[in-house]
Each structure stands twice: as C-alpha cells, then as structure tokens.
Amino acid sequence: MNVIDEINSEGFTIIENVYSADEIDKLISNIENVGIQNQHKNTYRKSDDLFAVRQFFNEFPQALEIVFNSSLKQIIKTNFGDNYFVTKSIYFDKPEKSNWFVSYHQDLTISVNQKLELDGFENWTVKQNQFAVQPPENILKNCFTIRIHLDNTSKENGALKVINKSHSKGIVRLDNFTSKTGNESICEVEKGGIMIMKPLLFHASNKTTNNERRRVIHIEFCNQQLPNGLNWNEKVEFNLN
C-alpha cells in the first residue's frame, strides 16, 4: 500500500529517514538558542510537563528551509499535490519526567484571523489572542498534519496512539466515542522520521515513563480558502520545486 492509500484507508502513515541527523541537529540548535530568549512571548507555553511554541514558523522562520527539504517536498507533491499551504505550526517538547497526557480526541479547530458569524463555523474560542473555530467538516477533510520527530519516540515517552480508520466516521461526539470501537496503533517514530495523519483521526498520548524527552514539530496543511473575508491566521506558502 502506498503512502496516500494508507493515509486514506488508515488515517495515518509513518515515513522514516526524512531528515538527516545534521538537519535534526540544526533544528534543535536553532530552537534552543532562540527559544530561550523568547519564553516571555504569548506564543510560548512553559510548564514542568510541556514546553510548546505556537506559530512555530513565525517564531523560527529560518527553520522553513530545513523543514521543507527535498524529501518532504517530494512526499507532499507526490501524495497531495502542489496546492497546499501551512495553516498551523507548533513545536512540542515533552520533558523527560513529564506526567502530561492527552486523552483521545479529534483535531477539530483551525486558527483564523478574526471572529465572524458564518454558517457552519462554530465553537469559537480565543487563546492568547488567537481565534480558533470548528469549521465545516469538508474543510477538515481537506487537511492533513505532518509531525516531524526530533527524538526517537516510543510508547514509553508518549508516542501517539491512534484508532485506525476512525477518521472515516467524520466528526464524532466524544460521548459517543470509545477506543474499543477500532484497532489501536502505537505510532513509534525514530528521530528524523515523520508521521502524517488526518485531523479527524482519533489520537491520544500517554505519560512519559522512560525519562526520555519527546520533541515534535507539528504542522497542519490545507488547500481550502475560507469564506467571506475569514482568513487563516498562520498561512505559510512554500515552493515544492
């Protein structure tokens, strides 16, 4: 089964060796050197269990060239086409002794530039001066996420676990969801590898138990324009050539 067929069927796929050790080291060095200076910003979240940077490419524009290397460009172009753009980027660092876990959920919100009353757009929230909303399902179905792994990720340090094929059921109310309704996979990914997933795939992560950190760059993509003056808050174009 090829990449796009596996994504459409299972809701996710894992591809190893997308980045060299040198590329990963450059990303980590840049994040650590610049990030320490900017932890006072609203886009940064720091706790004992999690360090996160929202709007990652806005904070680290120099990372764009490394992230969109020839391997990733080829993967995107071959499997999705050349009309996609970045809609959200987040850096996650789950520390060695993190007790942070996330229960099963779907990624149902997008980040936008303002709040507008539009049909099909609901569940508005504002966090750190950023507007988020649940768009119509057809927009979510035209999105995908790439997670770049900066560390070896296993079930012991919070690798994502997913319910295979759950994306095919559309938007599901959490009170109607049970993990027993499908096969569960633990998405272990080696340093330099990526996971591609659909936002409607049910996914979760456990606490860290092996004293090893898990650093991930989470990037969301879409090819849909938003209606009536509503715009993506963090739209980043990139060249696949």
Side-chain angles (χ1 to χ4, degrees), residues 51-112:
F51 174 52
V53 183
R54 295 187 177 275
Q55 299 185 29
F56 175 76
F57 287 131
N58 289 339
E59 297 295 332
F60 301 94
Q62 59 273 38
L64 273 166
E65 185 176 355
I66 306 173
V67 167
F68 288 96
N69 66 5
S70 58
S71 296
L72 190 71
K73 286 181 179 180
Q74 186 62 34
I75 290 167
I76 294 172
K77 189 171 185 177
T78 301
N79 295 286
F80 298 98
D82 57 6
N83 60 338
Y84 278 81
F85 46 85
V86 174
T87 61
K88 185 186 295 184
S89 57
I90 309 172
Y91 167 74
F92 292 108
D93 179 357
K94 196 171 189 178
E96 295 91 330
K97 298 183 182 300
S98 174
N99 288 317
W100 177 64
F101 73 97
V102 180
S103 59
Y104 268 110
H105 66 285
Q106 298 171 297
D107 289 339
L108 298 180
T109 62
I110 60 173
S111 297
V112 295

Side-chain angles (χ1 to χ4, degrees), residues 97-133:
K97 298 183 182 300
S98 174
N99 288 317
W100 177 64
F101 73 97
V102 180
S103 59
Y104 268 110
H105 66 285
Q106 298 171 297
D107 289 339
L108 298 180
T109 62
I110 60 173
S111 297
V112 295
N113 65 327
Q114 60 182 315
K115 182 177 181 180
L116 298 174
E117 297 300 324
L118 298 171
D119 289 342
F121 289 78
E122 56 189 26
N123 299 327
W124 287 89
T125 60
V126 180
K127 292 182 180 179
Q128 298 172 327
N129 299 318
Q130 297 180 66
F131 294 96
V133 63

Side-chain angles (χ1 to χ4, degrees), residues 57-218:
F57 287 131
N58 289 339
E59 297 295 332
F60 301 94
Q62 59 273 38
L64 273 166
E65 185 176 355
I66 306 173
V67 167
F68 288 96
N69 66 5
S70 58
S71 296
L72 190 71
K73 286 181 179 180
Q74 186 62 34
I75 290 167
I76 294 172
K77 189 171 185 177
T78 301
N79 295 286
F80 298 98
D82 57 6
N83 60 338
Y84 278 81
F85 46 85
V86 174
T87 61
K88 185 186 295 184
S89 57
I90 309 172
Y91 167 74
F92 292 108
D93 179 357
K94 196 171 189 178
E96 295 91 330
K97 298 183 182 300
S98 174
N99 288 317
W100 177 64
F101 73 97
V102 180
S103 59
Y104 268 110
H105 66 285
Q106 298 171 297
D107 289 339
L108 298 180
T109 62
I110 60 173
S111 297
V112 295
N113 65 327
Q114 60 182 315
K115 182 177 181 180
L116 298 174
E117 297 300 324
L118 298 171
D119 289 342
F121 289 78
E122 56 189 26
N123 299 327
W124 287 89
T125 60
V126 180
K127 292 182 180 179
Q128 298 172 327
N129 299 318
Q130 297 180 66
F131 294 96
V133 63
Q134 180 178 320
E137 188 173 311
N138 70 293
I139 291 179
L140 294 173
K141 286 183 174 180
N142 282 282
C143 297
F144 68 92
T145 297
I146 293 179
R147 294 169 58 87
I148 301 168
H149 291 253
L150 307 184
D151 298 291
N152 292 328
T153 304
S154 67
K155 62 182 180 181
E156 286 82 16
N157 71 336
L160 282 193
K161 53 184 182 179
V162 304
I163 303 299
N164 297 52
K165 303 182 186 296
S166 56
H167 69 298
S168 63
K169 304 180 186 299
I171 296 173
V172 179
R173 288 176 55 91
L174 284 176
D175 53 9
N176 293 330
F177 169 78
T178 170
S179 60
K180 297 178 181 179
T181 60
N183 293 327
E184 182 181 80
S185 293
I186 306 297
C187 300
E188 297 185 315
V189 187
E190 293 184 3
K191 178 179 179 178
I194 67 172
M195 176 183 177
I196 306 176
M197 60 182 283
K198 301 293 287 184
L200 295 180
L201 183 75
F202 270 94
H203 56 286
S205 66
N206 290 334
K207 299 175 182 179
T208 299
T209 60
N210 65 353
N211 293 329
E212 293 183 6
R213 69 195 300 186
R214 188 201 75 185
R215 290 168 289 186
V216 173
I217 300 173
H218 170 111

